[in-house]
Amino acid sequence: MSEESIEDRLGEAAVRAADAVVPEIIQRLRRDAPAMIAAEREVQRGFEERLAMRWQEPFELYQMVLTSAREMVADFDQENREEAVQKQDFIFEVLHRLAIRSCRVAAEVLCLLRGGFADGAHARWRTLHELAATAFFVRKAGIDTAERYLLYEHIEAYKAASQLQDHASKLNAQQFSDAGMEVLKKNRDILVAKYGKEFAGEYGWAFEALKRLDSAFNGRIKFDAIERCAAIGHMRPYYKMASNQVHAGPKGAAFTLGSIGRKKINLVGASNAGLADPGQGAVLSLVQVLVTLLLHKPENIERFVGIRVLQSLVTDTAQSFVAVQRKLKEEQREIES
């Protein structure tokens, strides 16, 4: 709430009276903070230890998948980077970048799971799903689409800079110089002249490929079209569920994965429940991106074995998450009966 709106609601005298006691309250909070924070950390530490014991097996399996994925991405890059650069293999570059980012996001999901934040973990899985859909789509669409994807960064850079120019004063941020904006605009204009005005729109890098690949495409690019072409549109119900925790809609305010039992509560903090959906979704999407990268080069027996190992681990991890969640629900039913 802005200072102006506070004054409008309370009146200047009330605001002055409130401001007069603020320093004393702040001083008291600072004095009491060390003990308060220590107590809070102790409670959280105990909670996380109990949560780790309950979810130990799926967490360990998840870590195995993540560690293996990191190693395979690094090995694949080392083996194929030089050739990819020589051949200007834009598909390799896109898939490698998506795989790197997927490993990072999957690690973020695991941190949220270990902290008991199922909704936050599911929201980050949403990003992993988008990365998987994009990887599938680019590999299917071909090298021209991959190049467009890489170049689209210039479209996003100009959009971001233009927004900053509009709001820099309120953000107390430094604006781009006129020369800097001119460079960004020139890069954008060159690409629009080359690829058409649609390239400057949302998901503009995918426009031509969608016209070619998607019989239902109506000229308006949305993520579900990319998802559909990637053949993972069946994940949309989970994607929408995760989206509720990204946006400010009423469903996200009314529903939380961490609440179980007949009495639904809207949590203000962590919970030991609800970790199965984001956990199994994250390892699945991570491996989908990784396998798409690995299959970009002709298969060899070692790579094929690695893929099969990862796929088997995904199944084991998903089953383990579901088993723990099912047991937790059974315990809750016994408590409520």
Side-chain angles (χ1 to χ4, degrees), residues 9-26:
R9 291 172 66 89
L10 297 179
E12 291 186 11
V15 170
R16 285 198 299 271
D19 287 345
V21 301
V22 166
E24 180 183 347
I25 295 173
I26 294 295

Side-chain angles (χ1 to χ4, degrees), residues 79-198:
E79 293 169 7
N80 298 284
R81 167 65 58 182
E82 184 176 351
E83 180 185 359
V85 170
Q86 291 175 352
K87 294 183 176 181
Q88 291 191 310
D89 188 346
F90 301 123
I91 297 177
F92 172 91
E93 185 61 31
V94 172
L95 296 181
H96 180 256
R97 291 187 187 185
L98 294 174
I100 289 290
R101 188 177 173 196
S102 295
C103 288
R104 185 170 67 248
V105 176
E108 294 169 5
V109 171
L110 184 56
C111 285
L112 289 163
L113 293 173
R114 285 173 169 161
F117 296 102
D119 294 317
H122 209 205
R124 293 307 288 142
W125 163 77
R126 178 182 185 267
T127 299
L128 275 172
H129 174 70
E130 291 183 357
L131 293 169
T134 302
F136 285 149
F137 182 83
V138 168
R139 185 167 184 265
K140 181 178 181 179
I143 194 165
D144 177 66
T145 300
E147 184 177 15
R148 288 170 185 250
Y149 178 89
L150 295 171
L151 292 172
Y152 192 76
E153 181 184 353
H154 295 292
I155 302 296
E156 294 180 328
Y158 179 71
K159 285 182 180 179
S162 298
Q163 290 173 345
L164 179 63
Q165 297 297 84
D166 292 340
H167 304 291
S169 59
K170 288 188 176 181
L171 294 171
N172 195 29
Q174 184 176 351
Q175 287 186 315
F176 282 84
S177 67
D178 291 342
M181 286 300 299
E182 183 60 31
V183 170
L184 293 173
K185 185 177 184 301
K186 182 179 179 181
N187 290 337
R188 171 197 177 277
D189 291 345
I190 289 172
L191 292 170
V192 171
K194 180 178 181 179
Y195 292 124
K197 60 182 175 58
E198 294 85 2

Side-chain angles (χ1 to χ4, degrees), residues 41-53 113-117 269-273 275:
R41 285 176 175 168
E42 188 62 29
V43 170
Q44 182 66 17
R45 186 181 300 112
F47 166 78
E48 291 181 5
E49 288 175 355
R50 295 189 298 274
L51 182 143
M53 289 178 62
L113 293 173
R114 285 173 169 161
F117 296 102
S271 168
N272 67 348
L275 307 184

Side-chain angles (χ1 to χ4, degrees), residues 284-295:
L284 172 61
S285 296
L286 171 62
V287 170
Q288 285 175 333
V289 176
L290 180 59
V291 170
T292 306
L293 171 66
L294 297 179
L295 292 179

Side-chain angles (χ1 to χ4, degrees), residues 260-316:
I260 61 173
R262 288 193 293 266
K263 184 179 180 181
K264 298 298 182 182
I265 57 174
N266 208 345
L267 297 164
V268 296
S271 168
N272 67 348
L275 307 184
D277 283 345
Q280 62 182 320
V283 291
L284 172 61
S285 296
L286 171 62
V287 170
Q288 285 175 333
V289 176
L290 180 59
V291 170
T292 306
L293 171 66
L294 297 179
L295 292 179
H296 179 57
K297 292 295 182 180
E299 293 182 29
N300 57 44
I301 187 64
E302 183 179 351
R303 192 174 303 137
F304 178 75
V305 169
I307 290 172
R308 297 297 289 171
V309 167
L310 281 176
Q311 290 172 333
S312 181
L313 280 175
V314 168
T315 300
D316 292 344

